[in-house]
Amino acid sequence: QSVLTQPPSVSGAPGQRVTISCIGTSSNIGAGYDVHWYQQLPGTAPKLLIFGNNNRPSGVPDRFSVSKSGTSASLAISGLQAEDEADYYCQSYDRGLSGWVFGGGTKLTV
Amino acid sequence: EVQLVESGGGLVQPGGSLRLSCAASGFTFSSFNMNWVRQAPGKGLEWVSYISSSSSAIYYTDSVKGRFTISRDNAKDSLYLQMNSLTDEDTAVYYCARESQRTGYLADYWGQGTLVAVSS
């Protein structure tokens, strides 16, 4: 059971927009800690996708955006492309656990 | 180019031990906090352990406390995870991950992972 809660799967047609939610608690997201998102392509290591308030590492398109409110956050992907098909994980810090916490991951099907 | 290369994984019997290593290059290893994160087959990511840049602060997830020991050798640009009393629930790909200096509390680089399989 992951500390952060994500839907197991989402899907969308090419060009459409999808969102992935991430629900936490008052010990992590609700405590003000930033939420970060990782993309994991099949058979590869996770890669940082977007962090904090819509900060993207070099090479990540602005089709990816995030929002945060209270104890939850969400990742939005617009203009879906086949290459976006992957697992997406949200992550934050938990002050009670003194460590990183992850969502269970969401499989995106395009 | 930042590189993190894990090694030391393999097949081990329940109750056995393994020592994972992570060789870092392309950055000043001694300036960065490091973490181990694991992923059981077909499952999500799970944070395992954290060590600060100077080894002054160390944390573990509850399920590995007393069994796993994280350490680092800044002179060798290497991170380690000593795993004892292994159970089948420890079967996973183990990733070393660098914590971002800019933001903190996130992994800005990951290794490719090393598979630990606990089975009789």
Side-chain angles (χ1 to χ4, degrees):
Chain A
Q1 192 79 354
S2 300
V3 175
L4 306 180
T5 301
Q6 296 180 234
S9 63
V10 296
S11 63
Q16 285 189 334
R17 180 180 186 270
V18 297
T19 61
I20 299 172
S21 61
C22 176
I23 301 171
T25 70
S26 57
S27 294
N28 40 69
I29 301 175
Y33 294 103
D34 283 337
V35 180
H36 316 296
W37 294 84
Y38 303 87
Q39 179 190 61
Q40 186 175 34
L41 298 170
T44 70
K47 182 187 78 169
L48 180 62
L49 180 69
I50 192 165
F51 58 100
N53 187 16
N54 281 303
N55 299 295
R56 300 174 200 83
S58 175
V60 176
D62 60 6
R63 300 187 295 104
F64 295 88
S65 63
V66 297
S67 62
K68 177 188 167 188
S69 178
T71 59
S72 65
S74 64
L75 170 70
I77 309 172
S78 59
L80 274 177
Q81 300 180 3
E83 67 205 48
D84 297 333
E85 207 164 84
D87 293 326
Y88 293 85
Y89 293 89
C90 62
Q91 178 255 316
S92 186
Y93 179 84
D94 191 288
R95 62 185 178 188
L97 301 174
S98 296
W100 296 344
V101 288
F102 289 92
T106 299
K107 182 176 181 59
L108 169 62
T109 302
V110 180
Chain B
E1 179 194 5
V2 171
Q3 283 199 317
L4 298 168
V5 180
E6 301 93 337
S7 60
L11 177 64
V12 61
Q13 291 188 336
S17 299
L18 273 180
R19 188 194 195 209
L20 305 183
S21 299
C22 172
S25 62
F27 65 101
T28 305
F29 179 72
S30 60
S31 296
F32 286 82
N33 304 326
M34 299 294 295
N35 291 261
W36 286 99
V37 177
R38 67 185 178 183
Q39 185 171 32
K43 302 296 184 182
L45 301 170
E46 180 188 24
W47 170 76
V48 174
S49 185
Y50 160 96
I51 186 168
S52 64
S53 57
S54 64
S55 304
S56 60
I58 288 175
Y59 300 103
Y60 301 96
T61 191
D62 284 348
S63 63
V64 308
K65 283 180 183 176
R67 301 188 300 121
F68 289 12
T69 302
I70 191 172
S71 63
R72 64 190 295 162
D73 186 337
N74 287 341
K76 295 183 177 179
D77 292 340
S78 294
L79 174 71
Y80 305 102
L81 187 67
Q82 176 66 44
M83 304 186 297
N84 299 329
S85 303
L86 286 162
T87 75
D88 56 0
E89 294 188 344
D90 297 316
T91 293
V93 174
Y94 285 72
Y95 297 100
C96 67
R98 190 183 85 167
E99 182 169 279
S100 168
Q101 271 188 339
R102 172 182 170 182
T103 305
Y105 300 142
L106 72 89
D108 59 358
Y109 285 93
W110 299 68
Q112 87 289 349
T114 187
L115 176 62
V116 172
V118 184
S119 175
S120 55

